[in-house]
Amino acid sequence: MEVQNLNKTLQEIFQSKYIVPLYQRNYAWAQDEIENLLQDLYENFKKSETNTTLNYFIGSLVVLKRKDGLYEVIDGQQRLTTLSLLLKILEQVKEPKLFYESRPEVEAFFDSYYRNGSTKDVTFNYKVSHLINAVDMLKQSVVNPDEIKEKRLFDIEDFDRFKKFVFENVVLVRVEIPQDTDVANYFEIMNNRGEQLQKHEILKSYLIETLKDKDDNYFEKQQDEFSKIWDACSQMDTHIQKLFSAEDRRKYFGDNYDEINQIDFEKEEAQVRSGFSINKALRNLGKKVDSFQIDDIDDAGKDQSIIDFPNFLIHIFKVKYQTYVDNGNKIEIPLNEKDLIAVYENLKNIIDAKDFINDLLYYRTVFDRFIVKATDDEKDEESYKWTLKKPYRYDYSKAENKISTSLKYKNSFDDQDRVIKAISLLQVTFRNRKYKNWLQEILHFFSEKKKFGLSVGEYQNKIDLIILNYFEQSINESNYDDGVKVPHFLFNYIDYLYWVQSPSSFNFKFTYRNSVEHHLSQYFKNPIQDNIGNLCLVSKSSNSKMNNESPVGKADSSPTGKYYKNGNIPPKQKIMYDITNLKGQWGDVEILNHRIEIENLLNNREEILIISD
């Protein structure tokens, strides 16, 4: 029997035509998925400079070949749709190869986009809004988050070679299922299939397996202690103290629940676990660990971490070890969870599991106390607020002559508004879970463990230094007037400086705004429209709604105004709107004057932030 080659380059994939059946969900990829795709493509393109035969396997595509010759997409349509958009941007595919069953609006979008190479003529509605946004994000997402100077798709050096690499060296595994397959049943099975073990679960088993004596007898109590701490640390959306019983909470965090204690594993009773094996551990790792339910926790807040556990682990590896040696070469540990096992393999001879779990608990506690979380807030228009919380023990009388205690949370610092603004600035600017260099710098800062008790002023100064240093290293005046290519960091930094100057003048929080808006629209074809004095950062949806509306219409502050929102908008945008309302117009003079104000603001950045070494 002939063995088919399932590995297909994108050039080979897009020689065929595909149809997305009606039972498939709509396109749903957002910024995180698109950024990850582009960054992986760019990272492997860079590797191909020294290995011209390198292929990058991007995933699988499961299809059923219909009698009309079209391939029905069973699994992989999100990736295939994104690649279809990308290859049009890269001018590698000239006509649509992807069609949607019974979705005329989507097919009309692809037809228009492939004919015109633009989304401007496409009517914006909810059925194609994700596709329009995806095109913008493919063009504007940063492809090199681990480098100082930001690059977007069209900034890639040797762009023609990049296009060739994507088309000829990026590979999908295309699997054809038999034509007599019950597709509906197959699709349901695929959607319900069990998840494979994650890298952090495998890493846990490797580390636990080292807890044994010289005769290879396993220390059961040490393994249980390790597993308990690891499982708690893995639940990044929940404050760590909530995940332990009151007894363990005192053991790890002191009588007041607000410290961090070193666990002395050597004092634990060593017991032999005769039945332990790494295979047994792996079989149990995929089980979901529930939060410890205990009635002495007085905190019902729902939080969301800015990073997941695999990426947190790679941060701990880098804080502790910085580099590893591979084939005699010293390599800096990359802040990318996909490298987790490879990094461990190169460090395993120097890692002590007991030391590692102690540091994991310490840095997880640091993370909870000093890094913002997104906390549910029904009063907020966007349903969340940025918070910094620390635990404390609260004593109260439950019955006569009986004192009970509960775990509560309060602000990490008495006056922390500016700290929250500064950290959330960094988070919304560098939102991707990978390559959070600013987070690594903060965690490394706390490697000097006496800093766990630092003052708000000391911490504020550290965050401001990170922000200022990034500006000094990556921003220059040539960025100011670059239209949609102006780095998003610059807008957020300007907003932060305005707010620090006058906190009472602006009521806003940093959010995931990711689209550069021309206050005087590009529609008016003004030669200075790309000037920083005419630009602000808004959400994709806001940008699309504003479209070609006049500056006076955008700035309308009356009760019927759509965008002013009672002034609850970022400082730069508010100032532009206020000037428009004051002058009754927004033209060359207003744009140039605002630019001068921005320049002065940035030139005075150190005096505004009062940075000290």
Side-chain angles (χ1 to χ4, degrees):
M1 183 177 70
E2 181 182 357
V3 178
Q4 287 186 317
N5 181 13
L6 302 180
N7 299 337
K8 307 262 183 212
T9 66
L10 296 190
Q11 183 177 25
E12 294 170 320
I13 288 288
F14 282 90
Q15 288 174 1
S16 305
K17 292 184 178 181
Y18 302 86
I19 188 163
V20 177
L22 190 59
Y23 59 77
Q24 291 272 20
R25 62 175 179 154
N26 291 324
Y27 181 71
W29 268 22
Q31 183 168 348
D32 285 348
E33 292 89 353
I34 289 172
E35 280 186 348
N36 284 336
L37 172 66
L38 286 174
Q39 288 163 11
D40 285 345
L41 290 174
Y42 179 72
E43 181 180 335
N44 283 276
F45 166 67
K46 296 293 286 183
K47 291 177 181 177
S48 73
E49 292 176 351
T50 56
N51 182 0
T52 56
T53 63
L54 174 73
N55 282 340
Y56 172 48
F57 288 82
I58 202 171
S60 62
L61 175 65
V62 181
V63 295
L64 171 72
K65 191 170 184 178
R66 292 183 172 184
K67 293 180 180 179
D68 59 7
L70 292 177
Y71 284 97
E72 182 175 324
V73 180
I74 308 300
D75 190 45
Q77 69 114 339
Q78 301 288 327
R79 184 182 292 107
L80 188 66
T81 301
T82 308
L83 291 170
S84 180
L85 298 174
L86 176 62
L87 290 177
K88 172 57 183 173
I89 294 172
L90 298 181
E91 299 179 335
Q92 299 288 21
V93 177
K94 304 301 182 185
E95 62 180 20
K97 298 289 186 176
L98 187 61
F99 304 91
Y100 281 75
E101 195 170 56
S102 301
R103 299 179 205 182
E105 297 87 356
V106 177
E107 292 211 353
F109 162 82
F110 273 100
D111 180 63
S112 174
Y113 176 58
Y114 266 80
R115 275 189 292 106
N116 303 318
S118 169
T119 60
K120 289 183 179 179
D121 297 328
V122 178
T123 302
F124 190 93
N125 66 56
Y126 74 95
K127 293 182 180 179
V128 297
S129 61
H130 278 75
L131 294 165
I132 295 172
N133 289 338
V135 173
D136 290 341
M137 285 184 281
L138 283 165
K139 293 178 179 179
Q140 299 304 324
S141 293
V142 173
V143 300
N144 61 332
D146 56 332
E147 299 174 5
I148 292 296
K149 185 173 177 56
E150 287 184 357
K151 290 178 190 164
R152 292 172 172 80
L153 192 62
F154 292 111
D155 300 325
I156 295 174
E157 58 283 281
D158 202 353
F159 189 55
D160 287 340
R161 195 174 71 81
F162 174 77
K163 293 194 295 184
K164 187 173 185 291
F165 171 80
V166 171
F167 203 42
E168 298 180 6
N169 294 87
V170 173
V171 173
L172 276 168
V173 179
R174 190 174 73 183
V175 180
E176 287 188 44
I177 61 174
Q179 289 193 337
D180 59 353
T181 301
D182 182 340
V183 175
N185 184 52
Y186 182 88
F187 186 73
E188 182 179 354
I189 291 171
M190 289 191 66
N191 279 339
N192 294 329
R193 67 189 186 272
E195 294 293 330
Q196 293 182 335
L197 285 174
Q198 297 184 52
K199 290 184 177 68
H200 69 87
E201 296 170 322
I202 297 171
L203 177 60
K204 174 187 175 183
S205 71
Y206 287 165
L207 290 168
I208 282 182
E209 204 264 344
T210 67
L211 296 174
K212 56 188 177 182
D213 64 20
K214 58 183 175 56
D215 298 318
D216 286 341
N217 296 312
Y218 294 103
F219 296 138
E220 181 177 297
K221 197 162 187 179
Q222 290 185 10
Q223 290 174 340
D224 289 344
E225 193 85 15
F226 182 102
S227 184
K228 182 195 306 179
I229 296 171
W230 183 282
D231 291 345
C233 288
S234 71
Q235 300 177 69
M236 298 293 291
D237 291 337
T238 304
H239 279 268
I240 190 72
Q241 294 82 7
K242 294 182 185 179
L243 299 164
F244 294 104
S245 66
E247 179 184 356
D248 282 335
R249 199 181 304 139
R250 286 191 295 271
K251 175 180 177 180
Y252 299 138
F253 307 107
D255 288 341
N256 293 318
Y257 307 153
D258 63 349
E259 301 170 2
I260 179 66
N261 295 328
Q262 191 85 359
I263 307 304
D264 188 351
F265 280 85
E266 302 306 323
K267 289 186 178 180
E268 299 289 348
E269 178 184 356
Q271 295 182 4
V272 176
R273 176 179 290 181
S274 57
F276 179 85
S277 71
I278 190 168
N279 289 330
K280 180 179 178 182
L282 285 169
R283 284 196 299 272
N284 292 326
L285 282 173
K287 296 180 180 178
K288 185 179 184 299
V289 180
D290 294 323
S291 300
F292 195 98
Q293 299 298 315
I294 191 162
D295 59 9
D296 71 339
I297 299 175
D298 187 7
D299 179 79
K302 292 184 67 176
D303 301 317
Q304 183 175 347
S305 170
I306 64 169
I307 196 170
D308 59 20
F309 188 52
N311 277 293
F312 184 69
L313 284 169
I314 204 74
H315 273 280
I316 305 309
F317 274 134
K318 187 160 187 177
V319 169
K320 286 176 63 61
Y321 305 108
Q322 292 298 308
T323 62
Y324 64 84
V325 176
D326 184 21
N327 293 324
N329 299 313
K330 184 178 284 189
I331 297 174
E332 184 176 354
I333 293 174
L335 293 175
N336 189 338
E337 60 86 16
K338 73 176 186 179
D339 298 302
L340 191 60
I341 300 301
V343 169
Y344 168 76
E345 289 292 341
N346 284 283
L347 292 172
K348 63 183 180 182
N349 291 332
I350 63 172
I351 292 177
D352 180 280
K354 292 168 283 189
D355 170 68
F356 187 86
I357 199 69
N358 264 308
D359 279 345
L360 180 63
L361 181 60
Y362 169 73
Y363 286 110
R364 179 56 214 280
T365 308
V366 166
F367 181 86
D368 281 357
R369 183 175 298 201
F370 297 108
I371 302 298
V372 293
K373 282 183 168 57
T375 302
D376 283 359
D377 184 4
E378 294 179 358
K379 298 178 182 178
D380 192 282
E381 181 180 337
E382 290 173 307
S383 77
Y384 72 92
K385 60 183 178 181
W386 298 113
T387 60
L388 279 179
K389 297 288 187 181
K390 68 178 182 181
Y392 69 99
R393 192 185 78 176
Y394 178 73
D395 296 338
Y396 62 99
S397 298
K398 192 172 184 179
E400 187 176 354
N401 298 322
K402 185 177 180 180
I403 300 296
S404 296
T405 67
S406 65
L407 170 67
K408 289 193 174 188
Y409 285 84
K410 61 183 179 181
N411 289 345
S412 296
F413 301 103
D414 291 336
D415 183 8
Q416 61 181 31
D417 287 351
R418 181 168 161 183
V419 169
I420 289 177
K421 278 284 192 297
I423 302 174
S424 58
L425 179 164
L426 291 166
Q427 167 58 18
V428 301
T429 305
F430 310 107
R431 61 176 290 172
N432 197 298
R433 291 178 184 269
K434 299 187 296 185
Y435 301 116
K436 283 190 184 295
N437 293 307
W438 64 267
L439 176 58
Q440 174 65 196
E441 193 167 344
I442 292 174
L443 293 174
H444 192 268
F445 174 73
F446 281 100
S447 61
E448 189 178 341
K449 295 187 177 178
K450 68 179 183 180
K451 288 178 178 173
F452 189 76
L454 85 178
S455 69
V456 67
E458 292 174 291
Y459 191 40
Q460 182 70 63
N461 192 62
K462 176 61 183 176
I463 305 300
D464 283 345
L465 275 171
I466 293 173
I467 294 171
L468 179 64
N469 288 339
Y470 184 84
F471 177 86
E472 303 289 355
Q473 294 174 39
S474 61
I475 305 294
N476 57 62
E477 197 166 335
S478 67
N479 299 128
Y480 293 3
D481 305 319
D482 213 7
V484 295
K485 292 185 178 180
V486 173
H488 294 180
F489 170 84
L490 183 58
F491 292 106
N492 290 326
Y493 189 42
I494 289 168
D495 286 337
Y496 181 58
L497 291 173
Y498 269 131
W499 181 83
V500 171
Q501 273 190 323
S502 182
S504 61
S505 300
F506 308 103
N507 181 22
F508 86 109
K509 70 178 180 185
F510 282 110
T511 60
Y512 296 108
R513 299 172 291 137
N514 52 11
S515 184
V516 176
E517 162 73 5
H518 293 74
H519 188 35
L520 179 67
S521 171
Q522 292 173 290
Y523 175 80
F524 294 98
K525 298 181 179 178
N526 188 300
I528 64 167
Q529 64 188 15
D530 284 338
N531 190 302
I532 189 70
N534 185 47
L535 306 172
C536 61
L537 198 61
V538 299
S539 67
K540 284 280 184 214
S541 59
S542 293
N543 198 336
S544 299
K545 291 173 185 175
M546 291 176 184
N547 206 0
N548 296 325
E549 189 160 358
S550 72
V552 172
K554 295 174 186 176
D556 183 5
S557 59
S558 71
T560 58
K562 293 181 285 185
Y563 309 114
Y564 195 87
K565 300 178 183 177
N566 298 317
N568 296 336
I569 50 179
K572 188 180 189 304
Q573 186 179 2
K574 182 178 186 300
I575 287 169
M576 292 166 64
Y577 285 7
D578 288 346
I579 293 171
T580 304
N581 291 326
L582 179 65
K583 300 288 187 178
Q585 64 178 17
W586 181 263
D588 291 6
V589 173
E590 289 75 26
I591 291 171
L592 292 174
N593 284 341
H594 185 50
R595 189 192 193 284
I596 292 171
E597 181 180 308
I598 294 297
E599 278 191 85
N600 291 334
L601 183 80
L602 293 169
N603 289 339
N604 293 323
R605 55 192 177 273
E606 292 194 34
E607 289 79 4
I608 294 171
L609 298 180
I610 317 177
I611 295 293
S612 61
D613 293 328

